[in-house]
Amino acid sequence: MSEGNAALPEFRGRLLVSIPGSWIDRLRLPGSLFGREVLRDIAMPVELRAALALLSAEADAQSVPLQFVARPEIFTHGRSRAWLDDRIGNARDHVILTDGHTLRTLPGLRNHMFFYPRGIPAQEAALRRLIGIAPELFSGLASQINGGLAFRCGGAWHRPPGVHLRLRTTPDTGRVERFPFLAARLHDDADPRPVKAAPAGEALPEDRPVRYVPLSETALADGVFMRDLAERVQRAIFGGPERLLLELSRPEGSPSATDRMAAATLAFSETRVAFPRSPSRNVQFVTAPPRGLRMDSLLIHPGIAFWRYGLDFYGAAERIEVPVGTNPVNRFRNLLSSWLGRPVAVLRQDAVGEVPRVTLSEAP
Amino acid sequence: MSTTATRPRLNIDIGPLLEDQWTGISVFTRRLVQALDASGRLDLSFSVRMMQLHAAEVRETIRHGSGAFLRAQLDKRDAAERPPLDPALPLFYPSVKSHPNIVPREASTIHDMSTLVMPETHDERNVAHHLDPLRNELSTDEVVFCVSEATRRAVCATFPWAERRTRLLMQYVDWPEEFAAYERNLPPVELDRYAVVIGTIEPRKNLDLLLRALEHPAVAASRLTFFVIGKRGWLVDQALARLRPEVAQRVKFTGFVSEFVKYRLLKSAEFLVLPSVYEGFGIPAVEAMSLGKPVLASLTSSFPEVIGNAGLFFDPFSVDEFALALKEMSDVRRAAELAPKALAQAASFSPQRMAAPVLDWLGA
């Protein structure tokens, strides 16, 4: 298996970038090639926005222009390809921002993949399906940005070399709100429970260490992870040693904070762990990382687009951990540790009383 | 003396001919059968659903120009008594291979790779229909026929191992002989100056570019009306609603028209406009050129190789480029200069050219 080297690519001349075709119809394009200003005021998922911010920062750092190509797939050969080559000049690198449904390479250029919807199950599934159909597209990549994709085709393992891009500061992802944890179904018409956000500016009590846990759709769908998290939530509610801050996932379609909480409470309800039907401030939902937050522990599930946080966010955590119990955890821990340049621990499940916990690896 | 025994034999899966209305791949299949028949160098057999058909009933179906009768025959109970397809014969699929690895020598046809590179423009079932069997299909093909060099390049870029198996299989246009006589006996079309646009309303056809360009001064000055052969849908209605009424009136939608009406419209048009973002081949271009009409087409995928020097090209995402090219094409002297080139280019696509790669495969 070819291992990733995490070397920063030199984007000589200029950096060519393509975004998923599903976004093209939403843009008012001046032509097949366009600048970053076209994307400036477009509402898009935080992961895509962060990926664009990463590429913009990298292009600026290398003093190369960033140019977008609307549909790389149309420049197959001959006159159309000559037209493109004439306009992209000395570009040698093409970053494919993929949503998992396509990988539209430009033959002759160094193609780099950036799979941005990490943590969105449907798009992760689309990527897996695409690899099954056309693995050669992936084995021919010059690199994968902030990814740890590995697959076997025939007898050989393939892992496109990894490249790490990081933001210094976390991009603004909207209003920061904190809500008390409430297990009651938020959309239960028979028992509506309005949950009020903590007043703006209200500080978190400093009576116990804070564990911060970003959630995503993939994380919410991970039964082992959610069961363990639910038990930690339960202990925290009943006066356990830590305070939990759970950052709400962002399902597609810009849902409200209430919808995001509903998605989380539904996932908690499916763990069968019992919670009191009253709000708790020992466990809180947050819509985005609170400013000035100090974390004793940051728990990152493999289904989190970890690169959408800046180094300032990780720098605020004493410990960074990944959960045990998810199959690709070691690969992810290595990726995250390499990306951060600091150790990442595995958060073991707590023993219950004196009886050791049992963890199964693979099915027999 | 019969030469049947000495001619190579070929089984053609005529699945596409079971359609009621023959468009696209059904017409391609019909033309291929007729081109191979006309060569006199193959002994053709026909099959569908893994059953052998009588050659006479297939030729009768072709004479009718619809698959309704043959489909009814196949749906009868005694269809089970038909013999299974002959495994000794090479089997040719004019489209997706429905049952890979049935006989030792198989070939299939790739019309385009749009379900792989722009799945967002297709229905999910259509994507699955094309992509799920694709790898298996290509790996069991002795020859992969591609309808254009653009399609061949796209196949090879995705599946490099298939490159040695690929061959071009380009179709031709065959207007019914009687159309010219009908046309001569009818009064002239009185529609002032107009251009024809052929295509459905799907996003890939990029009709929006034309609608956006209508307000451009160069397009306004052309005084052309645009006849869109195809249905008008809500997406188009939305786009038209943004235009001033007098501008919107310059686009007329014909709805579904017969082949003869299409022939008449093209025959009296100044030129054809093809704003598609991506095409596997582009048979409307050859249809127009066969009537001496130049083509104003997107610089994309297969158009440059199909249209050659009988047209003008524009960036499919640039209103300005489109408007400039339209201005040039609207000059009657320029169109007249391109007309003979259009006829010559269309004539280069012939039954002999279509049959040749299949005959070559079989050593006929």
Side-chain angles (χ1 to χ4, degrees), chain A residues 21-22 24 28-32 70-71 73-74 76-77 79-80 83 102 104 129-130 132-137, chain B residues 116-120 128 132 135 149-150 153 158-161 212 277-278 299-301 305 313 315 317-318 321:
Chain A
S22 54
I24 294 298
R28 196 69 159 201
L29 299 178
S32 280
R71 291 258 180 211
E73 68 271 27
I74 73 176
T76 52
H77 72 296
R79 193 168 168 177
S80 63
W83 182 96
T102 55
R104 303 169 306 160
R129 179 189 185 207
L130 186 61
I133 293 167
E136 294 80 5
L137 282 176
Chain B
L116 185 75
V117 295
M118 41 178 60
E120 69 280 0
D132 289 349
R135 191 172 184 81
E149 179 62 17
R153 295 286 184 115
T158 312
F159 306 103
W161 47 265
R212 283 166 61 197
V277 170
Y278 187 90
L299 187 59
T300 173
S301 47
E305 65 181 290
F313 298 93
D315 175 350
F317 295 102
S318 170
E321 267 206 31

Side-chain angles (χ1 to χ4, degrees), chain A residues 14 16 32-33 67 69 75 77-92 106-107 109, chain B residues 299 315 321:
Chain A
R14 74 182 68 196
L16 207 57
S32 280
L33 295 166
Q67 191 167 37
V69 54
F75 303 106
H77 72 296
R79 193 168 168 177
S80 63
R81 182 55 196 258
W83 182 96
L84 178 70
D85 288 343
D86 189 44
R87 282 158 180 79
I88 62 174
N90 51 358
R92 294 288 175 272
L106 271 170
L109 268 65
Chain B
L299 187 59
D315 175 350
E321 267 206 31

Side-chain angles (χ1 to χ4, degrees), chain B residues 242-272:
Chain B
R242 292 195 296 264
L243 301 173
R244 286 178 289 128
E246 63 272 27
V247 174
Q249 279 176 8
R250 291 179 61 196
V251 183
K252 314 280 187 196
F253 290 82
T254 65
F256 178 80
V257 298
S258 68
E259 283 295 285
F260 180 63
V261 171
K262 181 168 78 175
Y263 174 92
R264 281 207 93 195
L265 276 171
L266 280 172
K267 186 89 176 162
S268 300
E270 306 242 332
F271 53 89
L272 174 70

Side-chain angles (χ1 to χ4, degrees), chain A residues 86-109:
Chain A
D86 189 44
R87 282 158 180 79
I88 62 174
N90 51 358
R92 294 288 175 272
D93 294 276
H94 171 222
V95 174
I96 308 155
L97 279 167
T98 176
D99 59 6
H101 292 279
T102 55
L103 191 75
R104 303 169 306 160
T105 56
L106 271 170
L109 268 65

Side-chain angles (χ1 to χ4, degrees), chain B residues 98-336:
Chain B
S98 51
H99 304 94
N101 221 10
I102 294 293
V103 303
R105 301 185 69 191
E106 295 177 353
S108 65
T109 311
I110 305 294
H111 289 264
D112 67 62
M113 295 286 275
S114 63
T115 48
L116 185 75
V117 295
M118 41 178 60
E120 69 280 0
T121 64
H122 290 272
D123 178 78
E124 269 184 39
R125 281 172 304 178
N126 192 36
V127 173
H129 173 71
H130 282 95
L131 292 190
D132 289 349
L134 184 59
R135 191 172 184 81
N136 207 4
E137 178 180 334
L138 299 183
S139 64
T140 54
D141 271 347
E142 188 172 294
V143 173
V144 178
F145 289 103
C146 302
V147 302
S148 66
E149 179 62 17
T151 296
R152 198 186 75 79
R153 295 286 184 115
V155 169
C156 296
T158 312
F159 306 103
W161 47 265
E163 183 164 3
R164 284 187 300 110
R165 305 174 190 188
T166 57
R167 298 184 192 204
L168 289 183
L169 180 65
M170 293 170 133
Q171 64 167 315
Y172 57 96
V173 163
D174 55 349
W175 296 108
E177 286 175 11
E178 60 273 21
F179 278 11
Y182 292 166
E183 168 73 13
R184 278 195 302 274
N185 291 327
L186 287 169
V189 173
E190 292 179 358
L191 291 171
D192 291 329
R193 295 187 66 195
Y194 70 91
V196 165
V197 186
I198 294 183
T200 57
I201 52 153
E202 57 185 289
R204 191 156 58 99
K205 301 299 179 183
N206 201 22
L207 205 54
D208 191 51
L209 181 84
L210 169 67
L211 301 181
R212 283 166 61 197
L214 286 173
E215 300 269 15
H216 193 284
V219 179
S222 74
R223 298 183 175 280
L224 283 165
T225 301
F226 298 91
F227 279 91
V228 181
I229 298 182
K231 267 194 315 187
R232 174 175 168 162
W234 65 272
L235 274 174
V236 170
D237 287 338
Q238 278 187 335
L240 286 171
R242 292 195 296 264
L243 301 173
R244 286 178 289 128
E246 63 272 27
V247 174
Q249 279 176 8
R250 291 179 61 196
V251 183
K252 314 280 187 196
F253 290 82
T254 65
F256 178 80
V257 298
S258 68
E259 283 295 285
F260 180 63
V261 171
K262 181 168 78 175
Y263 174 92
R264 281 207 93 195
L265 276 171
L266 280 172
K267 186 89 176 162
S268 300
E270 306 242 332
F271 53 89
L272 174 70
V273 182
L274 288 177
S276 283
V277 170
Y278 187 90
E279 287 292 336
F281 182 74
I283 196 68
V286 188
E287 289 174 336
M289 293 189 299
S290 73
L291 299 173
K293 305 300 170 184
V295 185
L296 180 60
S298 296
L299 187 59
T300 173
S301 47
S302 59
F303 282 159
E305 65 181 290
V306 170
I307 297 163
N309 62 0
L312 300 175
F313 298 93
F314 57 87
D315 175 350
F317 295 102
S318 170
V319 169
D320 288 341
E321 267 206 31
F322 172 74
L324 280 176
L326 185 108
K327 185 181 177 190
E328 184 180 344
M329 188 67 102
S330 303
D331 182 337
V332 288
R333 288 166 300 184
R334 186 74 170 111

